[in-house]
Amino acid sequence: MKTILSSTLSRKNLMALTGLFLCFFLVIHLLGNLQLLLPPERAEGSFNYYSDLLSGNIFIMMISYVLYFSLVAHAVDALVITIRNKKAVSKYAYDDRKQVSKWYSRNMGILGSILLIFLIIHFKDFWYLYKFGTVPKDKEGYKNLYVVVIYAFKSWWYVLLYVFAMLALGYHLLHGFKSAVRTLGLYHPRYAGYVQIFGLIYSYAITIGFSIIPVYVHLTHFGLWN
């Protein structure tokens, strides 16, 4: 029993650490993607330069390996912990928890599964194509990922899929950030209110920031404002 408990705690600590790293990565990723909101004549060169910098810088490449590890470890740990909790928690304990917890706290597995499916699609359409596919060059000689992104957001259903996934991400972050801080022992009662406020602001900022981009691109290039 002690071994199982220790193993679970270790997995929760790893999931918390990888989760917080992914939270940090989301900020960097969002800042880069916000360049898509620039006027087209500026956005193309700026975004392609940013993409080339991420793929050609040795330091960034090392960080990317940490990112890949974090994504896999976070997903695997979440799956293992969810299965163990399902087996360990009785129906009555679940009903009691249902009385006091938010619905998204009880459905982190479902939200995580939605995000995993989205990540597979996202990696296939952008990362894999950029790394191994045929991408045209822009006038500066960089791979023109900007054109690839613009074309992807031409489809309204792809925009809806993206926004839906970002909503799932937002709810995932609402529970995940506070849970990670608490798991690592950083959730002191004196600072609990600040942690909750920061987590709320962070979750909304990430969700809205990422959701605006495909909607804006679709409307400006193919929609009402075209």
Side-chain angles (χ1 to χ4, degrees):
M1 181 65 182
K2 186 181 293 187
T3 303
I4 294 175
L5 181 61
S6 175
S7 174
T8 300
L9 289 175
S10 296
R11 286 191 175 279
K12 284 188 174 181
N13 285 331
L14 179 60
M15 188 163 67
L17 288 171
T18 53
L20 289 178
F21 174 80
L22 292 172
C23 285
F24 169 74
F25 170 77
L26 284 172
V27 174
I28 304 302
H29 192 41
L30 176 59
L31 291 175
N33 284 5
L34 285 176
Q35 294 174 89
L36 293 167
L37 302 182
L38 294 171
E41 61 273 13
R42 291 181 54 198
E44 182 174 356
S46 181
F47 185 74
N48 289 337
Y49 173 77
Y50 156 75
S51 302
D52 183 75
L53 180 65
L54 291 184
S55 63
N57 186 291
I58 185 64
F59 175 74
I60 300 297
M61 290 176 65
M62 292 172 62
I63 295 296
S64 68
Y65 291 125
V66 179
L67 170 65
Y68 303 148
F69 168 79
S70 297
L71 285 170
V72 173
H74 194 76
V76 171
D77 279 352
L79 177 63
V80 172
I81 291 171
T82 299
I83 292 174
R84 286 181 177 176
N85 288 345
K86 288 284 187 182
K87 292 180 178 179
V89 178
S90 67
K91 177 182 182 301
Y92 301 104
Y94 176 78
D95 289 340
D96 290 340
R97 180 170 170 243
K98 194 173 180 180
Q99 300 289 331
V100 297
S101 63
K102 302 288 187 181
W103 70 267
Y104 51 81
S105 299
R106 301 191 303 272
N107 293 284
M108 289 293 280
I110 296 175
L111 294 172
S113 298
I114 293 172
L115 293 175
L116 182 60
I117 294 171
F118 170 76
L119 278 175
I120 293 172
I121 297 172
H122 191 68
F123 270 66
K124 177 187 75 69
D125 289 344
F126 300 114
W127 179 85
Y128 183 85
L129 181 62
Y130 187 85
K131 289 287 187 180
F132 306 106
T134 302
V135 179
K137 299 283 185 73
D138 66 9
K139 60 183 180 181
E140 301 295 332
Y142 299 123
K143 286 186 177 182
N144 203 334
L145 187 62
Y146 176 80
V147 171
V148 175
V149 173
I150 298 302
Y151 181 78
F153 292 147
K154 178 179 181 179
S155 303
W156 62 266
W157 64 265
Y158 196 92
V159 173
L160 290 180
L161 172 66
Y162 198 101
V163 172
F164 176 72
M166 292 306 101
L167 290 174
L169 174 63
Y171 283 117
H172 196 79
L173 291 172
L174 278 174
H175 173 78
F177 181 81
K178 184 172 68 174
S179 178
V181 173
R182 180 177 290 167
T183 297
L184 296 174
L186 304 175
Y187 198 74
H188 192 279
R190 182 182 300 177
Y191 311 114
Y194 296 108
V195 171
Q196 289 187 351
I197 292 173
F198 179 83
L200 186 67
I201 294 173
Y202 171 82
S203 301
Y204 274 94
I206 291 295
T207 303
I208 295 172
F210 276 113
S211 297
I212 284 175
I213 295 170
V215 174
Y216 173 83
V217 169
H218 181 78
L219 290 178
T220 53
H221 289 78
F222 312 104
L224 300 177
W225 302 343
N226 189 27

